[in-house]
Amino acid sequence: MSRLVIVSNRVASAAEGKRSAGGLAVGVLDALKRQDGLWFGWNGKIEDTADPEVAFHRIGRIDCATTGLSRSEYDLYYRGFANGTLWPTFHYRIDLSRYDAREYAGYLAVNERLAGMLKELVGEDDRLWIHDYHLIPFARACRRLGLRNRMGFFLHTPFPPEGILRTVPPHRDLAEAMCEYDLLGFQTRGDAQAFLDYAQRRLGLPRDGDTLRGPSGPVRVGHYPIGILTDDVQSKSKARSRSKLVATLKQGLQERKLIISVDRLDYSKGMVERFNAFERLLESRPAYRGHVSFVQIAPPSRSDVEGYRHIRRQLESTAGHINGRWTELSWTPIRYMNRAYERAALLSFFRASQVGFVTPLRDGMNLVAKEYVAAQDPEDPGVLVLSEFAGAADELADGAIIVNPYDIDAMACALDQALDMPLVERRERHEHMMRVLKDNSIKEWRDHFLTDLEPPAVAA
Ligand SMILES: O=P(O)(O)OC[C@H]1O[C@H](O[C@H]2O[C@H](CO)[C@@H](O)[C@H](O)[C@H]2O)[C@H](O)[C@@H](O)[C@@H]1O
Ligand SMILES: O=c1ccn([C@@H]2O[C@H](COP(=O)(O)OP(=O)(O)O)[C@@H](O)[C@H]2O)c(=O)[nH]1
């Protein structure tokens, strides 16, 4: 029988429900919960052994197989090409991107090693679903080893337009490697279109509707916006709304309104601009001084990559400056926390807040935006202020207040509008967004992708 085999750099840890601060692991775990399958990838550890092995653990019905990375693999593949070159470029930050041919060679080598390990674990009928920018050449490595399985690839980040992609020297090799998959999935129509444009113009591939004629066969291209377990988020946030943590949060607020943001500490998330917008609100509308608090939860991420160390210093100094200027004996305007919370706790914080402030400069989807909406009390919902550059804006534009995260004044106005929005309008907007989230939950994401991965029916 055919099994679903998921391959991603990040695999959820054995203790399901443990703190997890990344959307890919959260999304894949939710998608696999209802189905038997195998999930293969990195165990998150640096292990200096000449002969890395595969270890197995189970999360519910899911078998997980993981392996370590050696120090040099970690440096070249994860810290180097994946997060020092591809991540910034795919988020339109070519100023933060660098290129080193040795890192690219290391990236290819890790893909080959992982493909070799996976070969021993899969049957010939298994469907392979590969995730994210770490593993672009994975299908090509598998094909070279003789694997003929159907293979689909889903990119969780944005895919940039040609002019930006071409700043990565091996751009052509990467795009050709993408054409070894049977199906390529992107978060938004715009991302899918950017890839199709590149493949047609630069690789000269003929196109038939949503399918490219690649050198090794047809490559179907589509967009599959990742969703959440909407009902589950709703019930968890309600169940936790009377927890000790929420009581502590409310005690600290003392009836003040709460603006909340949650992001991995990443330069793509637009946190400096967001802090500045909050300060602009205090400057321009004095009535809010002492009456609104902003909580930013930002667990550290990839802290051994230079761009991340820099943004951390910048945020510390910006938050310090704003709090130094505005804090009163009984009120601290920004509470900036570099720690992760369990997801259920975050959902209960969302429900206790009046505004979800989600303003990335660029983001593949941003699951926090969707979780914020689903976590609200439908009778008295908070308002989502959302960047137009988050993938989630394609679906939530009619219910959220959409902002340009580079426009500090406009973001301050949006906060004012959100804090002051009448109940009737908040309910209408929330209802609208909930319909969208229920119609495109994580189940639809998985089912649409896997249906499209099936081979086309052969005419009798
Ligand atoms: O694995 P890490 O290096 O610790 O980083 C965490 C994950 O970050 C990124 O998540 C993306 O996927 C989300 C779900 O589709 C999406 O909402 C978000 O916009 C993306 O940024 C990254 O793409 C993952 O590979 C990482 O595991
Ligand atoms: O302290 C934290 C911070 C984040 N998250 C979860 O991590 C995911 C972040 O996904 P998102 O798509 O917003 O961004 P990413 O970090 O993947 O770029 C969401 O499900 C959050 O609820 C969490 O569980 N604990």
Side-chain angles (χ1 to χ4, degrees), residues 9-10 21-25 78 83 87 91 132-134 154 156-157 187 226 264 269 301-302 363-367:
N9 176 66
R10 184 69 66 187
L24 181 144
Y78 178 78
N83 286 312
W87 178 271
H91 289 82
D132 235 356
Y133 58 99
H134 317 82
F154 183 78
H156 289 255
T157 68
Q187 297 273 25
I226 191 169
R264 267 183 313 102
K269 302 288 184 181
S301 170
R302 307 173 195 162
D363 216 332
M365 177 53 61
N366 199 299
L367 292 180

Side-chain angles (χ1 to χ4, degrees), residues 1-15:
M1 207 182 74
S2 134
R3 267 183 328 167
L4 173 60
V5 176
I6 298 228
V7 187
S8 61
N9 176 66
R10 184 69 66 187
V11 174
S13 65

Side-chain angles (χ1 to χ4, degrees), residues 19-24 26 87 262 264 269 297 299 339-343 346 363 366-368 371:
R19 279 165 209 161
S20 158
L24 181 144
V26 168
W87 178 271
V262 175
R264 267 183 313 102
K269 302 288 184 181
I297 295 172
R339 55 161 294 184
Y341 278 91
E342 185 200 341
R343 190 156 57 129
L346 290 180
D363 216 332
N366 199 299
L367 292 180
V368 164
E371 291 166 353

Side-chain angles (χ1 to χ4, degrees), residues 9-10 42 69 73-74 76-80 82-83 134 302:
N9 176 66
R10 184 69 66 187
W42 178 37
L69 292 176
E73 285 179 328
Y74 175 83
L76 301 172
Y77 151 84
Y78 178 78
R79 201 164 73 85
N83 286 312
H134 317 82
R302 307 173 195 162

